[in-house]
Amino acid sequence: MNNNDSALHVVGAQIRDQAAAYCESQSVPGVVAGVYHAGEQIVVAHGTANVATGAPMREDTGFLFGSVTKVLTTTLVLQQVDRGLLDLEAPVAHYLPEFALTAPGAAAKILVRHLVSHTNGIDADLFFPDARGRDALKTYVDGLAGSCGALFEAGERLSYSNGGMIVAGRLLEVVTGLPFPDLLARDVFGPVGMTDSSTSAEQAILRSTAVGHFPDPVTMAARPTGMFMLPDTWGPAGGTPIGTVADLLAFGRTHLAGGVSPAGTRVLAPASTALMQQTAYDMATPNVPPMGLGWVRYPFGDTTVLAMSGASPGGVSILCVVPEHDLVFTAFGNTPGAIVLHDQLLQGLLRDLLGVEIPALVTAPASDVDLSPYVGTYRSNQLRIDVSAVDGQLEERMTYEPADESQERIFTAFAGGATSAPPQRYVPVGPGLFAPAGYPWETFDGYLRLLLVSYHDGVDGRARFRNGGGRLARRA
């Protein structure tokens, strides 16, 4: 094809066919996806937004952003840095004197930068206090002091942090005087041109909005979620923002254009936009890409994809920006398994549209690996992982240990009722690196490299940390 419009037309047809086949084979009710490339964009929708009503998935159907919101929250933080209201190198407690953790002195060492680079160490990944309204984020921060500790000292390691983003949201409220939803609407939704975005179910119900689904444990058919969105306490981490593919394409294009929206509005300073895209911390392990501020920097050969995915109750979204090739890709599917389709679509765009060569990340199992350094029990907030050696592989058993009835109720609804899973075997594939048994090696070449598990910081012949999905758990 000689012109980009024709190339994108072909891409749109391919996405439509691929989405239809995947939805049919994997019982995904619906998918909506969009691509912007070099001045043109397409949006493709397929299937059903809600099986209870039969409402179709349309190109303008809204959906929960999930953790894609973290890049929006980080953008808000950098805006306040541009305006002189925040200093990335200042302690969080300078702005939030009440900020504390159960680990003595840990909170005092956390800087603003650590919140948005996932290097804060706050052990609160499953902390779900149930509060709504104007004081929800204050309630969250107040609750940390009596409920959550630290996985590591701030700045020493990287662990994907819902808690850090929520504290950042409260920080924004304090320095601007605005509730987080109002600030997001004023300083991101408005200037970016995200005209169909909101943060409440009351607003979302006024337009076409998708709901999540989970596979029925008996029939495996998709059934609608019993909880549309998480409490307001999780807003800055992704619990409440809702919008469309067109909205996320506009946001991605803003970061492609050095902080200028498609309508020409300056949203973020060029230096701050660039800072978000630079490496802030690198774990130097294949399963955890380097982290910027808000963005995760996925290497696909020599090409870097700035990305963030987001889980919502029964749904999953993704936003990817490829600065080297002037491309934005975003998608939503209304079952958790749709992330596999998103990964396939992303790799197809890189290979077929952009000509990017994607090297194999894992090619063969490792032999004669001593498994004893990894055996033991690892813990993070309300989660225990028991690791044993069985037949030359690691076997992991995860146990959810709820802190109270309220958090158990919320997490159970978020997970679709299933808070336990059968043991998972892992095959050694490199030093301290393991792949889930039974998966084809090519599974891990793209976004799903997060399925790999790594172990770190050996002391006295034993690993101190387990990393799965970018999240650390510490040896008990």
Side-chain angles (χ1 to χ4, degrees), residues 43-423:
V43 178
V44 173
H46 171 81
T48 304
N50 183 344
V51 299
T53 66
M57 187 76 83
R58 307 187 322 195
E59 293 178 4
D60 64 347
T61 294
F63 52 88
L64 282 156
F65 291 163
S67 286
V68 170
T69 302
K70 291 179 171 67
V71 191
L72 280 67
T73 299
T74 305
T75 299
L76 287 171
V77 169
L78 270 294
Q79 285 177 337
Q80 309 321 312
V81 173
D82 291 344
R83 295 164 186 170
L85 295 179
L86 280 178
D87 180 353
L88 287 176
E89 307 307 324
V92 173
H94 174 73
Y95 305 99
L96 289 178
E98 68 274 24
F99 173 50
L101 300 170
T102 59
K109 298 178 181 180
I110 298 176
L111 308 181
V112 175
R113 176 189 296 275
H114 295 143
L115 298 178
V116 292
S117 62
H118 299 270
T119 55
N120 51 78
I122 299 171
D123 188 12
D125 208 48
L126 297 180
F127 181 50
F128 288 98
D130 191 5
R132 303 178 189 276
R134 178 64 180 85
D135 292 329
L137 302 189
K138 181 180 185 302
T139 299
Y140 184 97
V141 172
D142 290 346
L144 289 174
S147 303
C148 299
L151 285 166
F152 51 83
E153 187 170 307
E156 286 191 345
R157 294 174 182 84
L158 169 70
S159 184
Y160 185 86
S161 177
N162 289 306
M165 285 292 170
I166 298 170
V167 173
R170 176 58 183 157
L171 193 64
L172 289 165
E173 292 187 332
V174 170
V175 300
T176 66
L178 285 177
F180 179 80
D182 295 350
L183 183 65
L184 187 63
R186 187 192 74 178
D187 287 359
V188 174
F189 292 165
V192 169
M194 301 172 71
T195 56
D196 292 316
S197 289
S198 65
T199 57
S200 76
E202 290 83 0
Q203 292 169 296
I205 201 171
L206 300 176
R207 59 183 318 281
S208 172
T209 304
V211 303
H213 300 76
F214 293 97
D216 184 276
V218 177
T219 67
M220 298 308 291
R223 55 177 174 81
T225 176
M227 178 176 68
F228 175 59
M229 65 199 311
L230 289 169
D232 292 350
T233 49
W234 269 56
T240 59
I242 306 158
T244 63
V245 157
D247 288 344
L248 285 184
L249 287 175
F251 180 78
R253 290 175 60 185
T254 300
H255 280 266
L256 271 184
V260 176
S261 76
T265 303
R266 168 64 63 186
V267 177
L268 193 61
S272 292
T273 309
L275 184 62
M276 286 180 62
Q277 300 179 16
Q278 296 168 10
T279 299
Y281 196 97
D282 189 352
M283 284 279 290
T285 182
N287 59 315
V288 183
M291 178 63 68
L293 300 184
W295 292 111
V296 184
R297 294 172 46 88
Y298 276 78
F300 286 84
D302 296 328
T303 298
T304 296
V305 176
L306 307 172
M308 182 59 72
S309 66
S312 53
V316 63
S317 64
I318 193 169
L319 174 64
C320 302
V321 173
V322 190
E324 299 163 56
H325 294 279
D326 195 26
L327 181 135
V328 181
F329 164 66
T330 188
F332 170 80
N334 54 5
T335 67
I339 190 63
V340 177
L341 173 63
H342 298 172
D343 190 20
Q344 293 171 354
L345 294 176
L346 171 62
Q347 292 191 59
L349 287 169
L350 293 173
R351 288 193 181 101
D352 302 335
L353 182 64
L354 304 182
V356 173
E357 293 187 8
I358 302 176
L361 197 66
V362 175
T363 56
S367 58
D368 300 324
V369 175
D370 180 10
L371 301 180
S372 61
Y374 317 113
V375 172
T377 297
Y378 300 79
R379 291 183 182 275
S380 59
N381 179 254
Q382 303 179 61
L383 185 67
R384 188 182 80 233
I385 306 165
D386 295 302
V387 181
S388 58
V390 181
D391 299 330
Q393 300 177 350
L394 289 184
E395 182 175 274
E396 294 190 349
R397 294 173 180 265
M398 288 195 180
T399 304
Y400 174 53
E401 300 177 325
D404 55 52
E405 182 279 331
S406 174
Q407 293 188 64
E408 182 178 19
R409 172 176 49 81
I410 294 169
F411 180 66
T412 300
F414 176 72
T419 58
S420 62

Side-chain angles (χ1 to χ4, degrees), residues 10-20 33-35 42 44 329 345 349:
V10 172
V11 165
Q14 292 172 338
I15 290 176
R16 191 181 308 277
D17 291 345
Q18 198 168 345
V35 181
I42 56 166
V44 173
F329 164 66
L345 294 176
L349 287 169

